[in-house]
């Protein structure tokens, strides 16, 4: 399921955010300081069942009124999810009505209870699930608590030092003796909370430790009892099918310089989640750490250290262009340590001695590889804040190309480098309203009028000037759809390499409201060319652009580049059938398909039909386009693909040269006039 909308109510600074549209890939949240941007992310993260709402989450001025209302009737986080074919298949035995619905509405209330509804157009149908019967496990928990409390009171009479903890004993036992059914919604948390806190009792001896261990063992039975009771809990099954939310934290995911191996291998995530993430990203298992720490064969240990250095470093540098970094592991008998070297400084330096920006990136990269997938949504609060603009652009590109094709990302930023001025559809603006109305969230709105500053809302939010907030290039290619951009970028790996640094590809024009993107380029006099597909949508878009005053000389249609081709075709159709199929198989390794039969339909349409018939899932041509770009970067395209892309790149370059010359002449004229 994909998150498509969100609404937050009565959460800290937010009284009612309004309904927030969420992008399929990346959503960017901007706003001035103290407006409620971070609060928005925390409210969305709170949808996770592990998170519990508390009175401190209420807006201060509404707390007296809200605390008198029923907790189970106060919505806080409301999310809408799209229902995909795979979701229908997965939940067919849970929700029969799923076949006719297009969306699922999920509400988490202040009482930490959930309610679900199916949405089909304007119709909304509540889903009512029978509550699981947790009477038996709840009675078992109460009995374990009463029995252990009685035993500990007896021990208190025997041991004066332990008797001083009697009040503490009663307090800890109340966790069990006063447990409620809702506490068993997460039995692991209940049991872990108790078993951890009971260890804090002072003055214990062997007999007390034995009784506590027996009670802890008895509590493990509760997990099985709850699991059996909830196997047919359709509400819980539906809740588990929804994506989870990960809010990356620099503090909790921090990577230390070293860890004690005996402590670390006993519970890696609890001892150091950051180091655990880094080791898993490199393929370094707990068992291998144990084996290498125990060996006396120095050559063997160093060989493995070199191997794991290579596995982590290659991926790390794929999207980090500031320098080529190498991550080194050193495994000794009692210690696992990490150090970093780079092309400028070959000495190995511990993470803490590196810049805060690089420390953040290393932690962020390891977290992504471990926790983020198709069933998660990544929330980032000011990502790369410590990194300069080039590094932030690397982060933006990383999110767009590495994460967004399979997951969704929502991030808050103050940096212009993290905002694509040519893709403002991603932007949401947050503003704290006066008169205790609270934080409101709105889609980006540009001002109208011939002399309007198109980027004023963004500039205001990030506090930057127009010039410093934009990243433009000498040559600009505007493409019709989001799936065209990676393919066109990939062309310049093998053709006109000398021009690659000055080419910037932007889109998608089909989603640029009122021709915003093209009008921006036209008004600023920047050299650009528009690339359109040879189909009905391309022809319609061309007619719209011409009606807006865009010169036809700026528009390059694929039909004019390949006049001998018959029928309708798009950018991805000009690569060979075999090369495109290779990209499809690499993009969907778990869902292989046969090469579609030839037909007059466009290639993406044929693959959509094949994927639906074979796997009952959708087909994402943007995902395949990103794979095509990676393949083109390695120079493995076949002759047909290479020839066709060469033809297209030549057509693009030939259209850009006159525009560049005109721009240079105009700039020279302006400079001459200024000098006079």
């Amino acid at each position: 399921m994909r998150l498509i909308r969100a609404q937050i109510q009565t959460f800290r600074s937010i009284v009612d955010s309004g309904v927030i549209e969420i992008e399929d890939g990346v959503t960017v949240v901007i706003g001035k300081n103290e407006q409620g941007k971070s609060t928005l992310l925390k409210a969305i993260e709170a949808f996770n069942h592990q998170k519990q709402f508390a009175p401190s989450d209420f807006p201060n001025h509404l707390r007296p009124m809200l605390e008198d209302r029923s907790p189970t009737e106060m919505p806080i986080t409301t999310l809408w999810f799209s229902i995909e074919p795979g979701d229908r298949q997965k939940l067919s035995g849970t929700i029969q009505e799923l076949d006719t619905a297009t969306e699922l509405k999920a509400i988490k209330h202040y009482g930490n209870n959930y309610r679900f509804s199916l949405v089909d157009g304007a119709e909304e149908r509540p889903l009512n699930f029978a509550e699981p019967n947790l009477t038996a496990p709840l009675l078992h928990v109460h009995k374990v608590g009463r029995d252990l409390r009685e035993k500990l009171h007896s021990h208190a009479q025997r041991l004066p030092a332990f008797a001083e903890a009697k009040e503490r004993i009663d307090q800890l036992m109340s966790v069990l003796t006063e447990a409620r059914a809702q506490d068993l919604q997460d039995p692991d948390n209940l049991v872990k909370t108790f078993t951890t806190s009971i260890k804090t009792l002072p003055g214990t001896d062997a007999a007390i430790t034995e009784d506590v261990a027996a009670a802890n063992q008895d509590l493990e039975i509760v997990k099985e009892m709850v699991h059996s009771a909830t196997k047919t809990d359709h509400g819980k099954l539906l809740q588990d099918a929804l994506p989870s939310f990960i809010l990356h934290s620099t503090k909790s995911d921090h990577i230390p310089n070293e860890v004690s191996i005996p402590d670390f291998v006993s519970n890696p995530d609890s001892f150091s989640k950051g180091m655990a993430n880094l080791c898993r990203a490199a393929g370094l298992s707990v068992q291998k750490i144990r084996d290498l720490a125990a060996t006396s064969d120095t050559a063997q240990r160093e060989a493995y250290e070199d191997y794991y250095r290579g596995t982590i470093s290659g991926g790390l540098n794929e999207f980090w262009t500031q320098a080529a970094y190498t991550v080194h592991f050193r495994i000794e008998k009692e210690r696992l340590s990490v150090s970093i070297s780079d092309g400028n400084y070959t000495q190995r330096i511990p993470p803490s001695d590196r810049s805060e920006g690089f420390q953040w990136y290393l932690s962020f990269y390891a977290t992504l590889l471990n926790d983020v997938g198709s069933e998660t949504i990544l929330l980032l609060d000011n990502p790369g804040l410590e990194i300069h603009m080039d590094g932030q652009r690397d982060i933006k590109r990383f999110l767009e190309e590495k994460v967004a094709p399979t997951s969704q990302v929502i991030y808050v930023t103050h940096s212009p480098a993290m905002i694509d001025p040519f893709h403002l559809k991603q932007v949401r603006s947050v503003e704290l309203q006066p008169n205790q109305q609270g934080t409101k969230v709105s889609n980006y709105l540009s001002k109208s009028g011939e002399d309007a500053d198109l980027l004023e809302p963004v500039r205001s939010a990030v506090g930057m000037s127009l010039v410093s907030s934009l990243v433009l290039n000498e040559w600009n290619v505007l493409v019709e759809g989001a799936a065209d951009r990676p393919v066109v970028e990939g062309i310049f790996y093998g053709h006109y390499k000398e021009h690659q640094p000055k080419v910037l590809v932007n889109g998608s024009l089909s989603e640029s409201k009122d021709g915003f993107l093209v009008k921006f380029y036209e008004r600023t006099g920047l050299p650009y060319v528009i690339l359109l597909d040879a189909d009905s949508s391309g022809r319609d878009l061309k007619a719209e652009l011409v009606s807006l005053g865009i010169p036809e000389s700026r528009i390059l249609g694929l039909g004019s580049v390949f006049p001998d081709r018959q029928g309708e075709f798009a950018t991805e159709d000009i690569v060979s059938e075999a090369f495109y199929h290779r990209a499809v198989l690499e993009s969907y390794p778990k869902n292989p398909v046969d090469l579609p039969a030839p037909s007059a339909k466009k290639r993406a349409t044929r693959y959509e039909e094949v994927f639906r018939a074979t796997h009952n899932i959708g087909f994402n041509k943007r995902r395949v386009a990103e794979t095509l770009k990676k393949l083109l970067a390695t120079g493995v395209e076949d002759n047909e693909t290479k020839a066709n892309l060469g033809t297209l790149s030549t057509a693009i370059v030939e259209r850009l040269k006159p525009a560049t010359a005109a721009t240079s002449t105009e700039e020279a004229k302006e400079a001459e006039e200024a000098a006079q």
Side-chain angles (χ1 to χ4, degrees):
M1 293 188 185
R2 307 288 283 185
L3 179 63
I4 53 178
R5 291 188 300 280
Q7 182 177 15
I8 310 303
Q9 297 166 279
T10 61
F11 185 82
R12 304 185 187 180
S13 68
I14 303 174
V15 176
D16 186 346
S17 67
V19 177
I20 310 161
E21 301 292 332
I22 304 297
E23 293 297 304
D24 193 52
V26 172
T27 302
V28 183
V29 180
I30 64 173
K32 298 177 182 179
N33 289 327
E34 302 297 321
Q35 300 297 298
K37 301 183 300 297
S38 300
T39 297
L40 174 65
L41 295 187
K42 290 174 182 175
I44 295 175
E45 183 203 18
F47 187 83
N48 290 331
H49 69 87
Q50 301 95 334
K51 297 291 182 178
Q52 304 288 300
F53 293 121
S56 58
D57 289 324
F58 286 142
N60 288 332
H61 67 286
L62 296 179
R63 187 177 300 180
M65 177 184 68
L66 294 173
E67 288 184 346
D68 291 335
R69 291 177 54 186
S70 170
T72 60
E73 299 294 329
M74 288 193 298
I76 293 187
T77 303
T78 302
L79 306 177
W80 288 263
F81 299 91
S82 62
I83 300 175
E84 310 295 335
D87 302 322
R88 292 188 173 91
Q89 185 177 6
K90 183 178 180 180
L91 296 169
S92 59
T94 303
I95 308 171
Q96 302 301 326
E97 309 98 313
L98 209 60
D99 290 339
T100 60
T102 57
E103 298 177 6
L104 174 74
K105 181 180 179 181
I107 307 174
K108 185 174 181 180
H109 296 77
Y110 174 62
N112 300 302
N113 57 302
Y114 295 83
R115 289 186 183 171
F116 302 98
S117 300
L118 293 177
V119 180
D120 187 6
E123 184 182 356
E124 187 174 313
R125 305 190 304 276
L127 292 173
N128 298 309
F129 301 110
E131 292 290 333
N133 187 352
L134 299 178
T135 303
L138 189 61
L139 291 175
H140 186 82
V141 168
H142 291 167
K143 184 178 184 302
V144 171
R146 290 194 303 269
D147 290 349
L148 182 58
R149 181 175 59 191
E150 184 177 338
K151 291 177 182 178
L152 294 181
H153 282 178
S154 297
H155 288 304
Q157 293 177 351
R158 178 176 59 83
L159 290 174
F162 189 62
E164 296 178 4
K166 188 174 181 180
E167 184 176 341
R168 175 72 174 148
I169 292 170
D170 291 338
Q171 182 184 13
L172 291 177
M173 292 304 105
S174 67
V175 173
L176 303 181
T177 59
E178 299 176 15
R180 301 162 298 172
Q182 68 185 64
D183 294 322
L184 294 184
Q185 292 178 358
D186 189 357
D188 290 333
N189 181 63
L190 174 70
V191 173
K192 187 174 183 179
T193 298
F194 176 76
T195 55
T196 301
S197 61
I198 199 72
K199 295 176 183 177
T200 63
L201 288 175
T204 60
D205 63 4
I208 295 173
T209 301
E210 185 177 337
D211 283 342
V212 169
N216 289 343
Q217 189 66 34
D218 210 8
L219 285 174
E220 291 297 319
I221 300 173
V222 174
K223 296 181 184 180
E224 294 300 322
M225 296 174 73
V226 171
H227 177 69
S228 298
T230 57
K231 276 194 298 188
T232 56
D233 180 1
H234 289 179
K236 183 67 164 58
L237 293 174
L238 176 57
Q239 182 182 326
D240 291 342
L242 298 177
S244 58
F245 297 89
I246 296 174
L247 180 59
H248 175 259
S249 168
T250 305
K251 184 177 180 180
S252 64
D253 297 326
H254 168 73
I255 296 175
N257 296 340
E258 62 181 50
V259 293
S260 160
I261 288 181
D263 294 332
F264 177 68
V265 299
S266 65
N267 195 334
D269 285 295
S270 295
F271 190 78
S272 174
K273 184 180 178 184
M275 182 68 84
N277 284 342
L278 189 67
C279 289
R280 282 192 291 262
L284 182 56
S285 68
V286 168
Q287 186 56 53
K288 180 57 69 175
I289 293 172
R290 288 195 185 101
D291 293 344
L292 294 176
T295 186
S296 57
D297 188 338
T298 303
Q300 180 192 25
R301 186 175 65 246
E302 290 179 347
Y304 274 103
E305 289 173 349
D306 289 343
Y307 169 76
Y308 291 117
R309 174 194 67 197
T311 58
I312 184 66
S313 302
L316 179 69
N317 290 309
E318 181 182 2
F319 287 88
W320 181 266
T321 62
Q322 312 316 298
Y325 288 94
T326 301
V327 179
H328 306 267
F329 293 94
R330 183 165 181 78
I331 304 168
E332 300 172 288
K333 185 176 181 180
E334 298 287 333
R335 185 181 67 159
L336 167 64
S337 58
V338 176
S339 57
I340 317 293
S341 63
D342 62 57
N344 297 322
Y345 194 75
T346 57
Q347 284 83 352
R348 300 182 182 187
I349 301 173
S352 64
D353 290 348
R354 285 285 174 182
S355 69
E356 291 184 358
F358 180 77
Q359 290 182 60
W360 178 90
Y361 180 75
L362 184 62
S363 161
F364 169 69
Y365 177 77
T367 298
L368 284 181
L369 294 184
N370 280 270
D371 294 334
V372 178
S374 59
E375 301 301 321
T376 58
I377 296 175
L378 181 62
L379 308 173
L380 300 172
D381 196 353
N382 269 313
L385 184 63
E386 305 88 351
I387 303 173
H388 65 77
M389 280 190 158
D390 284 344
Q392 289 175 355
R393 292 183 194 110
D394 287 342
I395 298 299
K396 172 74 172 171
R397 189 166 62 92
F398 185 101
L399 295 172
E400 295 278 4
E401 299 180 14
K402 191 78 171 179
V403 184
T406 56
S407 186
Q408 288 175 276
V409 183
I410 304 172
Y411 66 78
V412 163
T413 188
H414 287 288
S415 170
M418 296 295 292
I419 301 169
D420 186 345
F422 309 109
H423 198 186
L424 295 177
K425 184 174 177 285
Q426 295 178 335
V427 176
R428 303 293 176 268
S429 180
V430 174
E431 186 175 1
L432 186 61
Q433 301 291 329
N435 301 322
Q436 298 184 329
Q437 296 179 73
T439 296
K440 297 288 184 182
V441 184
S442 60
N443 291 346
Y444 170 79
L445 295 173
S446 62
K447 292 183 178 180
S448 59
E450 198 65 28
D451 298 324
D453 179 351
L454 297 176
L455 297 177
E456 189 280 329
V458 175
R459 294 192 304 106
S460 176
V462 300
M464 298 291 287
S465 69
L466 175 62
V467 173
S468 60
S469 68
L470 294 181
V471 184
L472 306 172
N473 223 328
E474 294 178 47
W475 285 3
N476 300 277
V477 183
L478 312 185
V479 294
E480 183 176 342
D484 299 324
R485 182 175 178 177
V487 179
V488 176
E489 289 175 334
I491 291 174
F492 289 92
Y493 286 118
H495 304 274
Y496 297 96
K497 289 182 180 180
E498 68 276 15
H499 295 317
Q500 186 184 29
K502 62 182 180 182
V503 174
L504 183 68
V505 184
N506 282 307
S508 64
L509 293 183
S510 60
E511 297 179 359
S512 179
K513 187 177 180 181
D514 300 325
F516 168 84
L517 184 57
V518 183
K519 286 192 294 185
F520 176 82
Y521 272 98
E522 186 65 21
R523 286 184 195 173
T524 53
L526 294 164
Y528 71 94
V529 63
I530 301 165
L531 181 64
L532 299 179
D533 293 338
D535 57 15
S536 59
S537 64
R539 290 188 290 272
D540 290 344
L541 184 54
K542 178 179 179 179
E544 179 187 350
L545 294 176
V546 171
S547 71
L548 292 172
I550 304 302
E552 289 197 45
S553 61
R554 298 284 195 177
I555 302 173
L556 177 64
L558 281 178
S560 65
V561 181
F562 300 96
D564 297 333
R565 280 185 173 256
Q566 301 298 314
E568 297 193 335
F569 58 96
T571 306
E572 63 267 14
D573 291 292
I574 67 174
V575 306
S576 72
E577 288 273 10
F579 189 59
Y580 191 82
H581 189 65
R582 173 179 175 178
V584 170
L585 296 180
E586 291 192 17
S587 301
Y588 289 90
K590 296 181 180 179
N591 304 104
V593 295
D594 294 330
L595 188 71
S599 78
K601 296 177 180 177
K602 289 189 293 185
R603 187 172 292 162
T605 302
R606 287 187 281 143
Y607 273 99
E608 286 172 3
E609 294 173 350
V610 169
F611 269 83
R612 195 152 319 269
T614 307
H615 301 293
N616 195 29
I617 62 174
F619 174 72
N620 189 330
K621 69 175 186 177
R622 167 77 182 272
R623 181 174 173 180
V624 178
E626 293 289 355
T627 303
L628 280 173
K629 178 182 175 180
K630 292 178 182 178
L631 292 173
L632 291 171
T634 61
V636 297
E637 69 267 32
D638 53 33
N639 290 333
E640 179 185 345
T641 299
K642 190 169 185 177
N644 288 343
L645 295 184
T647 299
L648 179 57
S649 62
T650 297
I652 292 173
V653 169
E654 291 304 313
R655 284 294 181 98
L656 284 169
K657 282 181 178 178
T660 306
T663 302
S664 300
T665 302
E666 185 65 28
E667 289 175 349
K669 182 179 178 181
E670 290 178 357
E672 183 179 347
E673 291 175 351
Q676 293 174 352

